[in-house]
Amino acid sequence: MRYMTAGESHGKGITAILDGMPANLYVDKDEINRELKRRMLGYGRGGRMKIESDEVEIVSGIRGGFTTGAPITLFIKNRDYENWSNIIGADATELGKKTVTKVRPGHADLSGCIKYAQSDARNILERASARETAARVAVGAVCKILLKELGIIIGSHVVEICGVKSGYRYSSVEEIIEKSDESDVRCIDATAAEKMRAAIDIAVKNGDTAGGVVEVVAAGMPVGIGSHTAYDRKLDYIVSGHMMSVQSVKCVEIGLGRGYAERYGSEVHDEIFIKDGAVFRETNNAGGIEGGISNGEDIVVRCTLKPIPTLMKGLRSIDLITREPVKAEPERSDYCATPAGGVVLEAALAFALASAITDTLGGDHIDELKARAEQKRTAENGSR
Amino acid sequence: MRYMTAGESHGKGITAILDGMPANLYVDKDEINRELKRRMLGYGRGGRMKIESDEVEIVSGIRGGFTTGAPITLFIKNRDYENWSNIIGADATELGKKTVTKVRPGHADLSGCIKYAQSDARNILERASARETAARVAVGAVCKILLKELGIIIGSHVVEICGVKSGYRYSSVEEIIEKSDESDVRCIDATAAEKMRAAIDIAVKNGDTAGGVVEVVAAGMPVGIGSHTAYDRKLDYIVSGHMMSVQSVKCVEIGLGRGYAERYGSEVHDEIFIKDGAVFRETNNAGGIEGGISNGEDIVVRCTLKPIPTLMKGLRSIDLITREPVKAEPERSDYCATPAGGVVLEAALAFALASAITDTLGGDHIDELKARAEQKRTAENGSR
Amino acid sequence: MRYMTAGESHGKGITAILDGMPANLYVDKDEINRELKRRMLGYGRGGRMKIESDEVEIVSGIRGGFTTGAPITLFIKNRDYENWSNIIGADATELGKKTVTKVRPGHADLSGCIKYAQSDARNILERASARETAARVAVGAVCKILLKELGIIIGSHVVEICGVKSGYRYSSVEEIIEKSDESDVRCIDATAAEKMRAAIDIAVKNGDTAGGVVEVVAAGMPVGIGSHTAYDRKLDYIVSGHMMSVQSVKCVEIGLGRGYAERYGSEVHDEIFIKDGAVFRETNNAGGIEGGISNGEDIVVRCTLKPIPTLMKGLRSIDLITREPVKAEPERSDYCATPAGGVVLEAALAFALASAITDTLGGDHIDELKARAEQKRTAENGSR
Amino acid sequence: MRYMTAGESHGKGITAILDGMPANLYVDKDEINRELKRRMLGYGRGGRMKIESDEVEIVSGIRGGFTTGAPITLFIKNRDYENWSNIIGADATELGKKTVTKVRPGHADLSGCIKYAQSDARNILERASARETAARVAVGAVCKILLKELGIIIGSHVVEICGVKSGYRYSSVEEIIEKSDESDVRCIDATAAEKMRAAIDIAVKNGDTAGGVVEVVAAGMPVGIGSHTAYDRKLDYIVSGHMMSVQSVKCVEIGLGRGYAERYGSEVHDEIFIKDGAVFRETNNAGGIEGGISNGEDIVVRCTLKPIPTLMKGLRSIDLITREPVKAEPERSDYCATPAGGVVLEAALAFALASAITDTLGGDHIDELKARAEQKRTAENGSR
């Protein structure tokens, strides 16, 4: 399975092509739209979100609701393109408008202009924008539908915003899914949520921004996805790249993650038990991956998102043309994207897992894949 | 650039094939051996290290000291293979010896036996073993030689072991390189180093193990490596996969990493300044990567290594055959691999960067690549 | 450089995402449309071509005519989608219409239905259709624009149709480009062209189809693209895959190709000469590739296209549902696609070469790439 | 599945790493050696073959005869390395010996020296040499063992040498396997074989070389391998690259190949019949691939090998250093490699098919893969 995305923040729209989906999977478009809507919510969003009532257009690969095995094209229109077409479009003539030369620290603006020999950072930021995550969410939504058929569900919740930590420890992914979206900061610990909102309020007041940490969890994975045999077939290799590539993410933790550095081995490794023939663990510090292979426990990944680097108060920077010190351009942006970031990271994990599963199991159509996943789920160690 | 590794812990040896190195690079074999030696040191190593006085054999791709553009084969012999040949070799007949059925939590043992239908976890652990990192260090050593020609150097130091944190903040990679290896825990803060050793001593005494955190830093990167345009061309996507795939790593942080969640945007973004025409930043929280592109600052990556899951005291587990509760097999192992882990992670970063650089710059031979890197290093934003 | 295509023959349209184009390349949309138009011409086309007055929509990656380094989305609308939307669309409800169960030999119909567990071959043929080549032509057109900037031009002409052979031997690619499109069978030998038309007429009369051979040539390649060092970096590996994957192609020849089997080595190898310091060859049987590397001579590839397997007269086959012998479905189709096939194969070669060039040279923007290509073009062997 | 090869013609040896083999496959080393031996035979071989009594060393991935899922390292020692070590080795000091500056037309010599900035073509030709095919044959031998378990067998025979055509049309792959190796030109038509030998004798007498055509056939493929949905997932895309990348190959034909250009569609397409519920075809012009998907018929690929470009009589060329016209270096070589080429091409096809099969079916261990191949073999079209 593979996918590519394309499209600019103020261009016609965002396109994704997703290749390798098994045939005969029923894809409910409303499910994709529901995920796109989830991506737009959250406390501390800027003006952009108000104009982004995204809806997916399925351009190919699905007929009468079912996949055919052909590549799926997902298109999400940018609603304000009409105002931008002559500035940003392929045939645009007003390239001198909306130029960005006061490059924003923390973004690709400056490095991008150097790499690609540009003098207008608009040519960089339009693509670097987190607007691209709309495509990733749409792709992830289709992957979630596939995973659900295989008995795998994914949820996320916010565990930290600007230093405020959630006290919630999850007991089941169902619970996460049920409860996190009830909170506008997507934090299940109500008291912490209150403080998070307060921290965001301060950011809003000061023209500042706030980052945070999201925990993403997948339940129902069969044992044996990924492999210990080659560094780039390890499930954690695959997962970490997809998560780290989401805009703003600067830290990826599997399971206990950073916490592994603080305790002795005997305190953190997940011991293995057996009862009535059933193998189980009582803890899951490994986050469902041992030796690069899924072990059947929940996949647990925590990602830290930096505060969005576009500040209304303006960071000190330079102007590309005048080479003078300036305040960086304040493009319209959010104050805190962490709650919505969780939705994007669910999508990133969904693709990573769906892709790793089909790499391991193949599967031309959904019945075939379901049967193989079931076999894998019930497999015991071999007799050789 | 790409590489594959192969080989088992007690097999004939470990092989790597590294493809895509520019021609005419002088590769000093002693440099590779020096890195292999560094990998074997560190406080808290087990018996294995004593028999591992690794030396690389260059089987192909280098003639009279210089690369030819052909794939480079690096072979590292396992010194005790003669004792294992009839147990582990391709023609082995004593497969019933040295079997491992008391699967070790935290390793690939159990999941690997299920995935690959094995009843002897030896068939899994021999490949899952961190012995494989010898190949990665050899590959990384060649990459380091390339990077050095391009003005890029890499160092690492231990910033935490079992909860003991180093107070050292690096000022230059040269300093890290010079000082970290002077400490047997590879920690530059002498007081912290003392405490780290004490923490490891406790692990040794208790048949336990300790994890930690390593900071790996690369200086001298040109601006413009990686790209913001596609998720899988982002430099952080590339780097994080390589780092996370190193045995025991459970957390990868770029720059400030986890710390981004604790402060407002105005406190953490690296502002941009200009003086006498030269652009610079005073901070480097981004760890040298903005928007998926190198920005010319040091690349800073911090990785958390879990405590090695092979404990002399034995964790609770099951026996694959009897299906009874047992203490897990105590294969010979280390008490703390974090100091040496830094050496492996330097290698992983070296490959990631060398690979990203040649993806961006091409380069059939070293003079060509050097000239292009130099052009890139002095490039300013374009005039379009 | 990489690209993906998506879309069905009667769906909304065909999408391509092309990633890795250098920035600052001027892309004239008319050039793309001109290529799309060339693809639709040729003697012996069926009704489909009449409704296919394709025009490309550039959805992303190009601003005011210039590339930005971002992925380029190219969309080509299917003009009769409105008549098909409720049959073929994502939300279609009339799935029972236009079903195809009388599977056509020579197509993916039967094998596709088995692989993807379908009972309506419509779900296979819509994607397997050569309609997909519209996207490949659009992608190739952008690649041609890039190549032209680098001094590389590509042309093609028909050398055989249904046993009628062209007597034309090309002297320059310019000549091919100039003359081949003047003929509606794209054959430069006028007498042969006459006979080809007659052969096609017979096919039309009999409800039959005709295949042929196309020669595709690229002039201006720098020396040193591709590599002898790894099987999958050989330029002929790369080129042959792209050519063979074009619908109907069953044979790919580089240079003298099949003819190499008929003569002794001394008769066919291209001897090397030098005059006034300039190295040259008087023949080009190698087709510009020696040892997997471009040698500076024209790249010459000949591809055989089978007769289109959709025959008005109907081939003997089976019905998927009734399991009875039937005549295969006569979907609307062409009588001879070889002339247009040359246009598609030019596009396939353009991508293969552009991709191999940027793999070797890198190049973030067009000036950088041009300078590197120029260096490569004037390079002599080294002094090591 | 993937593999890399490395090693020079006169270096220590040739290494291959093959990754992705299912576990629990019994690999008989004698089978690999038997294939290596087949590669060395044939009428018209030069002196090199006499010193090449190759034997494989299995360095990793196989224990007691069985695969473990870990990457397999195959090493084939170069028997005359001791005489070359100080000329070609990593530590060689006599780099001035055995230099090649009289570059040979038809080889990578000249283009390689330009690309990689070399002045001694030895640094190119050592890797470009067909010696590398020893590794490919070893890899292919392992793939053949896998395929055999899945009921797939591969054979080849020579259909043309230097214009002499075999009259043999195969009826079964078993027959090819049985009969072709009985002939020292691997031609099953005894009369043609006689003439082929005569043609080779002329080449030997004149210090010349002869090329030819090989037909490679695989029987037993399940339906549904490859895909029509994406150009680079088509089975013919995959197969053609692997075949074309074999040294000397300049033409790849699938099924009727070039012959498709000569007849009408109604004469060449393989009609589909059904009898007692069983679907079958009476012809196989498609060579087992329709629309990029295997259709269950034999996979038939014909490859043309050019005459080896190293001629004892010497071709006209230049000297890299003096820039004077010279006769090209006559490195030791064969007069006709086509018979042995068939063995290499069997290996290339074996990898291509094994790889495509595991891409489609997954399969961590051989029982799993066998069961899935069997399901696929008996699958009918779906009911959706």
Side-chain angles (χ1 to χ4, degrees):
Chain A
M1 212 177 281
R2 56 183 168 173
Y3 77 101
M4 288 171 72
T5 75
E8 286 79 27
S9 182
H10 296 91
K12 289 189 176 183
I14 307 290
T15 306
I17 298 180
L18 170 61
D19 181 38
M21 266 290 140
N24 296 338
L25 177 71
Y26 180 71
V27 174
D28 183 348
K29 198 160 72 173
D30 293 344
E31 278 295 301
I32 307 178
N33 286 330
R34 206 176 64 86
E35 293 290 331
L36 289 173
K37 201 168 197 72
R38 289 180 68 218
R39 175 186 163 273
M40 293 183 282
L41 302 176
Y43 196 80
R45 307 306 298 276
R48 173 87 201 195
M49 288 306 115
K50 293 181 183 117
I51 57 164
E52 278 191 4
S53 57
D54 286 336
E55 272 187 50
V56 73
E57 180 188 343
I58 297 175
V59 182
S60 78
I62 294 178
R63 183 182 177 208
F66 289 88
T67 58
T68 63
I72 299 169
T73 307
L74 303 168
F75 180 70
I76 302 152
K77 200 176 163 174
N78 287 333
R79 297 212 174 260
D80 51 351
Y81 175 63
E82 55 239 65
N83 301 320
W84 283 79
S85 65
N86 203 30
I87 296 166
I88 205 76
D91 306 317
T93 56
E94 301 183 301
L95 302 184
K97 283 195 181 166
K98 297 280 187 186
T99 59
V100 174
T101 59
K102 296 166 185 167
V103 292
R104 298 162 307 155
H107 280 293
D109 294 12
L110 177 56
S111 304
C113 281
I114 295 172
K115 179 182 178 72
Y116 290 108
Q118 302 296 318
S119 62
D120 178 1
R122 168 101 19 230
N123 292 334
I124 302 304
L125 65 88
E126 283 285 328
R127 177 63 192 155
S129 162
R131 176 70 186 140
E132 185 253 355
T133 59
R136 299 184 74 166
V137 166
V139 164
V142 178
C143 293
K144 276 185 171 185
I145 291 169
L146 174 69
L147 293 175
K148 203 169 184 183
E149 281 289 313
L150 305 179
I152 301 164
I153 55 169
I154 295 183
S156 71
H157 63 112
V158 168
V159 298
E160 183 173 343
I161 282 183
C162 212
V164 181
K165 290 183 166 64
S166 170
Y168 173 75
R169 296 292 166 271
Y170 89 93
S171 56
S172 78
V173 179
E174 282 85 354
E175 189 185 73
I176 293 175
I177 292 172
E178 189 195 322
K179 295 194 176 167
S180 68
D181 284 2
E182 289 174 4
S183 158
D184 57 5
V185 285
R186 305 194 67 247
C187 173
I188 300 177
D189 172 347
T191 315
E194 193 75 35
K195 290 186 193 161
M196 289 175 181
R197 272 186 294 268
I200 294 170
D201 288 343
I202 293 171
V204 174
K205 198 187 68 186
N206 296 340
D208 213 328
T209 56
V213 182
V214 168
E215 186 169 77
V216 193
V217 187
M221 279 288 283
V223 178
I225 306 304
S227 176
H228 68 287
T229 59
Y231 66 91
D232 53 356
R233 290 193 165 172
K234 290 189 180 178
L235 187 56
D236 29 13
Y237 174 97
I238 296 162
V239 165
S240 63
H242 284 286
M243 306 307 266
M244 192 67 97
S245 70
V246 170
Q247 283 80 348
S248 290
V249 173
K250 298 295 276 189
C251 172
V252 175
E253 301 174 83
I254 311 281
L256 190 55
R258 190 62 144 94
Y260 268 115
E262 296 177 8
R263 282 181 271 165
Y264 286 107
S266 59
E267 300 172 285
V268 293
H269 290 300
D270 306 310
E271 298 187 308
I272 302 170
F273 303 97
I274 191 162
K275 193 171 177 183
D276 301 334
V279 174
F280 64 99
R281 293 162 181 87
E282 293 183 339
T283 54
N284 182 25
N285 288 320
I289 306 175
E290 287 173 307
I293 308 176
S294 66
N295 67 4
E297 302 295 318
D298 292 355
I299 304 291
V300 183
V301 190
R302 258 187 325 281
C303 299
T304 303
L305 293 96
K306 66 180 181 185
I308 290 173
T310 308
L311 273 62
M312 288 310 291
K313 73 194 301 185
L315 294 166
R316 283 176 291 176
S317 184
I318 60 163
D319 185 284
L320 281 182
I321 308 299
T322 65
R323 313 294 288 178
E324 292 295 321
V326 292
K327 285 270 175 172
E329 198 80 29
E331 279 267 311
R332 182 180 49 194
S333 186
D334 300 325
Y335 299 100
C336 183
T338 304
V343 178
V344 178
L345 287 161
E346 289 175 25
L349 184 62
F351 177 80
L353 298 183
S355 166
I357 287 171
T358 50
D359 273 1
T360 297
L361 302 182
D364 289 324
H365 56 89
I366 186 64
D367 288 343
E368 200 174 70
L369 183 54
K370 277 171 83 165
R372 291 181 191 166
E374 197 47 38
Q375 283 165 9
K376 216 67 191 176
R377 211 181 296 280
T378 57
E380 294 193 354
N381 52 284
S383 56
R384 269 210 54 77
Chain B
M1 210 177 282
R2 56 182 167 174
Y3 77 101
M4 288 171 72
T5 74
E8 285 79 26
S9 182
H10 295 91
K12 288 188 176 182
I14 307 291
T15 305
I17 298 181
L18 170 60
D19 182 37
M21 266 288 141
N24 296 337
L25 177 71
Y26 180 72
V27 174
D28 183 349
K29 198 161 74 173
D30 293 345
E31 278 295 302
I32 307 177
N33 286 331
R34 206 176 65 85
E35 294 289 332
L36 289 173
K37 200 168 198 73
R38 288 180 70 218
R39 175 187 163 273
M40 293 182 283
L41 301 176
Y43 196 81
R45 307 306 298 277
R48 174 86 200 198
M49 289 305 116
K50 293 182 181 115
I51 57 163
E52 277 192 4
S53 56
D54 286 335
E55 273 186 49
V56 72
E57 180 188 343
I58 298 174
V59 182
S60 79
I62 294 178
R63 183 182 176 207
F66 289 88
T67 57
T68 63
I72 299 169
T73 307
L74 303 168
F75 180 69
I76 302 152
K77 200 175 163 174
N78 286 333
R79 296 212 176 262
D80 50 350
Y81 175 63
E82 56 238 64
N83 301 321
W84 283 79
S85 64
N86 203 31
I87 298 166
I88 205 76
D91 307 317
T93 57
E94 301 182 303
L95 302 185
K97 284 195 181 166
K98 298 279 188 187
T99 58
V100 174
T101 58
K102 296 165 184 168
V103 292
R104 299 162 307 156
H107 280 293
D109 294 12
L110 177 56
S111 304
C113 282
I114 295 172
K115 177 181 178 73
Y116 291 107
Q118 302 297 317
S119 62
D120 178 0
R122 167 89 36 219
N123 291 335
I124 302 302
L125 66 88
E126 284 285 328
R127 178 61 192 156
S129 162
R131 175 70 186 142
E132 186 254 355
T133 60
R136 298 185 75 166
V137 166
V139 164
V142 178
C143 292
K144 276 186 170 186
I145 291 169
L146 174 69
L147 293 174
K148 204 171 184 183
E149 280 290 312
L150 305 179
I152 301 163
I153 55 170
I154 295 182
S156 73
H157 63 113
V158 169
V159 298
E160 183 172 343
I161 282 183
C162 212
V164 181
K165 290 183 168 63
S166 171
Y168 174 75
R169 296 293 166 270
Y170 89 92
S171 56
S172 77
V173 179
E174 283 85 354
E175 189 184 75
I176 292 175
I177 292 172
E178 190 196 322
K179 294 193 176 165
S180 68
D181 284 1
E182 288 175 3
S183 158
D184 58 3
V185 285
R186 305 195 66 249
C187 173
I188 299 178
D189 173 345
T191 315
E194 193 74 34
K195 289 185 193 162
M196 289 174 181
R197 272 187 293 269
I200 295 170
D201 288 343
I202 292 171
V204 174
K205 199 186 67 186
N206 296 341
D208 213 327
T209 57
V213 182
V214 169
E215 185 171 76
V216 193
V217 187
M221 279 289 282
V223 177
I225 306 306
S227 175
H228 68 287
T229 59
Y231 66 91
D232 53 355
R233 289 192 166 173
K234 291 190 180 178
L235 187 55
D236 30 13
Y237 174 97
I238 297 163
V239 165
S240 63
H242 284 287
M243 307 307 267
M244 192 67 96
S245 70
V246 170
Q247 283 80 348
S248 289
V249 174
K250 297 296 274 191
C251 172
V252 175
E253 300 173 84
I254 311 282
L256 190 55
R258 191 61 145 93
Y260 269 115
E262 296 176 8
R263 282 179 273 165
Y264 286 107
S266 60
E267 300 172 285
V268 293
H269 290 300
D270 307 310
E271 298 187 307
I272 302 170
F273 303 96
I274 191 161
K275 194 173 176 181
D276 302 335
V279 173
F280 65 96
R281 291 161 182 88
E282 291 183 340
T283 54
N284 182 26
N285 288 322
I289 306 176
E290 287 173 307
I293 309 177
S294 66
N295 66 4
E297 303 295 318
D298 292 355
I299 304 291
V300 183
V301 190
R302 258 188 326 282
C303 299
T304 302
L305 294 96
K306 67 180 179 184
I308 290 173
T310 309
L311 274 63
M312 289 309 291
K313 74 194 304 186
L315 293 165
R316 283 176 292 177
S317 185
I318 60 162
D319 185 284
L320 283 182
I321 307 300
T322 65
R323 312 294 289 177
E324 292 295 321
V326 293
K327 286 270 176 171
E329 198 80 29
E331 278 268 309
R332 181 179 49 193
S333 187
D334 300 323
Y335 298 100
C336 182
T338 304
V343 178
V344 178
L345 287 161
E346 289 175 24
L349 184 61
F351 177 80
L353 297 182
S355 167
I357 287 171
T358 51
D359 273 1
T360 297
L361 302 182
D364 290 324
H365 55 90
I366 187 66
D367 288 344
E368 202 174 68
L369 184 54
K370 278 172 82 166
R372 291 180 192 167
E374 197 47 38
Q375 284 165 9
K376 216 70 191 173
R377 212 182 294 280
T378 57
E380 294 192 353
N381 53 284
S383 55
R384 266 212 54 79
Chain C
M1 210 176 282
R2 57 182 167 173
Y3 77 101
M4 287 171 73
T5 74
E8 286 78 27
S9 182
H10 295 90
K12 289 189 175 181
I14 307 291
T15 306
I17 298 180
L18 170 60
D19 181 37
M21 266 289 140
N24 296 337
L25 178 71
Y26 180 73
V27 175
D28 183 349
K29 198 161 73 173
D30 293 345
E31 278 295 302
I32 307 178
N33 286 331
R34 206 176 65 85
E35 293 289 332
L36 288 173
K37 201 170 196 70
R38 290 179 69 217
R39 174 185 164 275
M40 293 182 283
L41 302 176
Y43 196 81
R45 308 306 298 275
R48 173 88 201 194
M49 288 305 116
K50 290 177 185 121
I51 56 162
E52 278 191 5
S53 57
D54 286 335
E55 271 186 52
V56 74
E57 179 188 344
I58 298 175
V59 182
S60 78
I62 294 178
R63 184 182 176 207
F66 289 88
T67 58
T68 63
I72 298 169
T73 307
L74 303 167
F75 180 70
I76 302 151
K77 201 175 160 173
N78 287 334
R79 297 213 175 259
D80 51 351
Y81 176 63
E82 56 238 65
N83 301 320
W84 283 79
S85 64
N86 203 30
I87 297 165
I88 205 77
D91 307 317
T93 57
E94 301 183 301
L95 302 184
K97 283 195 180 166
K98 298 280 186 186
T99 57
V100 174
T101 59
K102 297 166 183 166
V103 291
R104 299 162 306 157
H107 281 292
D109 295 12
L110 177 56
S111 304
C113 282
I114 295 172
K115 178 181 177 71
Y116 291 107
Q118 302 297 318
S119 62
D120 178 1
R122 168 90 33 219
N123 292 333
I124 303 303
L125 66 88
E126 284 285 328
R127 177 62 193 156
S129 162
R131 176 70 186 142
E132 187 254 355
T133 60
R136 299 186 74 166
V137 166
V139 164
V142 178
C143 292
K144 276 186 171 186
I145 291 169
L146 174 70
L147 293 174
K148 203 171 185 182
E149 280 290 311
L150 305 179
I152 301 163
I153 54 171
I154 296 182
S156 72
H157 63 114
V158 168
V159 298
E160 182 172 344
I161 282 184
C162 211
V164 181
K165 289 184 169 62
S166 171
Y168 173 75
R169 295 293 165 272
Y170 89 93
S171 56
S172 78
V173 179
E174 282 85 354
E175 190 184 72
I176 293 175
I177 292 172
E178 190 195 320
K179 296 193 176 165
S180 68
D181 284 2
E182 289 175 2
S183 158
D184 58 4
V185 284
R186 305 195 67 247
C187 174
I188 299 177
D189 172 346
T191 315
E194 193 74 34
K195 291 186 194 161
M196 289 174 183
R197 272 186 295 268
I200 295 170
D201 288 343
I202 293 170
V204 174
K205 198 186 65 184
N206 296 341
D208 213 327
T209 56
V213 181
V214 169
E215 185 170 76
V216 193
V217 187
M221 278 289 282
V223 178
I225 306 305
S227 175
H228 67 287
T229 58
Y231 67 90
D232 53 356
R233 290 193 165 171
K234 291 190 180 177
L235 187 56
D236 29 12
Y237 174 97
I238 296 162
V239 165
S240 63
H242 284 287
M243 307 307 267
M244 192 67 96
S245 69
V246 169
Q247 283 81 345
S248 289
V249 173
K250 297 297 275 189
C251 172
V252 175
E253 301 174 83
I254 311 281
L256 190 55
R258 191 62 145 93
Y260 268 116
E262 295 176 9
R263 282 180 272 166
Y264 286 106
S266 60
E267 301 172 284
V268 293
H269 290 299
D270 307 309
E271 298 186 308
I272 301 170
F273 303 96
I274 191 162
K275 193 171 179 184
D276 302 334
V279 174
F280 64 98
R281 293 161 180 86
E282 292 183 339
T283 54
N284 182 25
N285 288 322
I289 305 176
E290 288 173 308
I293 308 177
S294 65
N295 67 5
E297 303 295 319
D298 292 355
I299 304 291
V300 183
V301 190
R302 256 188 327 282
C303 298
T304 302
L305 293 96
K306 67 180 181 186
I308 290 173
T310 308
L311 273 63
M312 288 310 290
K313 74 195 301 186
L315 294 166
R316 283 175 291 176
S317 185
I318 60 162
D319 185 283
L320 283 183
I321 308 299
T322 65
R323 314 293 289 177
E324 292 295 321
V326 293
K327 285 269 174 172
E329 198 80 30
E331 279 268 309
R332 182 179 49 195
S333 187
D334 300 324
Y335 298 98
C336 182
T338 304
V343 178
V344 178
L345 287 160
E346 290 175 24
L349 184 62
F351 177 80
L353 298 183
S355 166
I357 287 171
T358 51
D359 272 1
T360 297
L361 301 182
D364 289 324
H365 55 90
I366 187 65
D367 288 343
E368 201 174 71
L369 184 54
K370 278 171 82 166
R372 290 181 193 167
E374 196 48 39
Q375 284 164 11
K376 216 68 192 175
R377 211 182 295 280
T378 58
E380 295 192 351
N381 54 283
S383 55
R384 268 209 57 76
Chain D
M1 211 177 281
R2 56 182 168 174
Y3 76 101
M4 288 171 72
T5 74
E8 285 80 26
S9 181
H10 294 92
K12 288 188 175 182
I14 307 292
T15 306
I17 298 180
L18 170 60
D19 182 37
M21 266 290 141
N24 296 337
L25 177 71
Y26 180 72
V27 175
D28 183 348
K29 197 160 75 173
D30 293 344
E31 277 296 301
I32 307 177
N33 286 331
R34 207 176 64 87
E35 293 289 331
L36 289 173
K37 200 169 198 73
R38 288 180 70 218
R39 175 186 162 274
M40 294 183 282
L41 301 176
Y43 196 80
R45 307 307 297 275
R48 174 86 201 197
M49 288 306 115
K50 292 179 182 118
I51 56 164
E52 277 190 6
S53 58
D54 286 335
E55 273 187 49
V56 73
E57 180 188 345
I58 297 174
V59 182
S60 78
I62 293 177
R63 183 181 177 207
F66 288 88
T67 58
T68 62
I72 299 170
T73 307
L74 303 168
F75 181 71
I76 301 151
K77 199 176 163 174
N78 287 333
R79 297 215 173 259
D80 51 351
Y81 175 63
E82 57 239 63
N83 301 321
W84 283 79
S85 65
N86 203 31
I87 296 166
I88 205 77
D91 307 316
T93 57
E94 301 184 302
L95 302 184
K97 284 196 181 165
K98 298 279 188 187
T99 59
V100 173
T101 59
K102 297 166 184 165
V103 291
R104 298 162 308 155
H107 280 292
D109 294 12
L110 177 56
S111 303
C113 282
I114 295 172
K115 178 181 178 71
Y116 291 108
Q118 301 297 318
S119 62
D120 179 1
R122 168 97 25 226
N123 292 334
I124 302 303
L125 67 87
E126 284 285 328
R127 177 63 191 153
S129 162
R131 175 69 185 142
E132 186 253 357
T133 60
R136 298 185 75 166
V137 166
V139 164
V142 178
C143 292
K144 276 186 170 184
I145 292 169
L146 174 69
L147 293 173
K148 203 171 185 182
E149 281 289 312
L150 305 179
I152 301 163
I153 55 170
I154 296 183
S156 72
H157 63 112
V158 167
V159 298
E160 182 172 346
I161 282 183
C162 213
V164 181
K165 290 183 168 63
S166 172
Y168 173 76
R169 296 294 166 270
Y170 89 92
S171 56
S172 77
V173 179
E174 282 85 354
E175 188 185 75
I176 293 175
I177 292 172
E178 190 196 322
K179 294 194 176 165
S180 67
D181 284 2
E182 287 175 4
S183 159
D184 57 5
V185 286
R186 305 195 66 249
C187 174
I188 299 177
D189 172 346
T191 316
E194 193 75 35
K195 290 185 193 160
M196 288 176 183
R197 271 187 294 270
I200 294 170
D201 288 343
I202 293 170
V204 174
K205 198 186 67 186
N206 296 341
D208 213 328
T209 56
V213 182
V214 169
E215 186 169 75
V216 193
V217 186
M221 279 290 282
V223 178
I225 305 305
S227 176
H228 68 288
T229 59
Y231 67 91
D232 53 355
R233 290 194 165 170
K234 289 190 181 176
L235 187 56
D236 30 12
Y237 174 98
I238 296 162
V239 165
S240 63
H242 284 287
M243 307 307 266
M244 192 68 96
S245 70
V246 169
Q247 283 81 345
S248 290
V249 173
K250 297 297 274 189
C251 171
V252 175
E253 301 174 84
I254 311 281
L256 190 55
R258 190 63 145 93
Y260 269 115
E262 296 176 9
R263 282 180 271 166
Y264 286 106
S266 60
E267 301 172 284
V268 293
H269 290 299
D270 307 309
E271 298 186 306
I272 301 170
F273 303 97
I274 191 161
K275 193 172 177 183
D276 302 334
V279 174
F280 64 98
R281 293 162 180 87
E282 291 183 339
T283 53
N284 183 24
N285 288 322
I289 305 176
E290 287 173 307
I293 308 177
S294 65
N295 66 4
E297 302 296 317
D298 292 355
I299 303 291
V300 183
V301 190
R302 258 188 325 281
C303 299
T304 303
L305 293 95
K306 67 180 181 185
I308 290 172
T310 308
L311 272 62
M312 288 310 290
K313 74 195 302 187
L315 293 165
R316 284 175 292 176
S317 184
I318 60 162
D319 185 285
L320 281 184
I321 308 299
T322 65
R323 312 293 289 178
E324 292 295 321
V326 293
K327 285 271 176 171
E329 199 79 29
E331 279 268 308
R332 181 180 49 195
S333 186
D334 300 324
Y335 299 99
C336 183
T338 304
V343 178
V344 178
L345 287 160
E346 290 175 24
L349 184 61
F351 176 81
L353 298 182
S355 167
I357 288 171
T358 51
D359 273 1
T360 297
L361 302 182
D364 289 324
H365 55 90
I366 187 65
D367 288 343
E368 202 174 68
L369 184 55
K370 278 172 82 166
R372 291 182 191 166
E374 197 47 38
Q375 283 164 8
K376 216 68 190 175
R377 211 181 295 280
T378 58
E380 295 193 353
N381 53 284
S383 55
R384 268 210 55 78

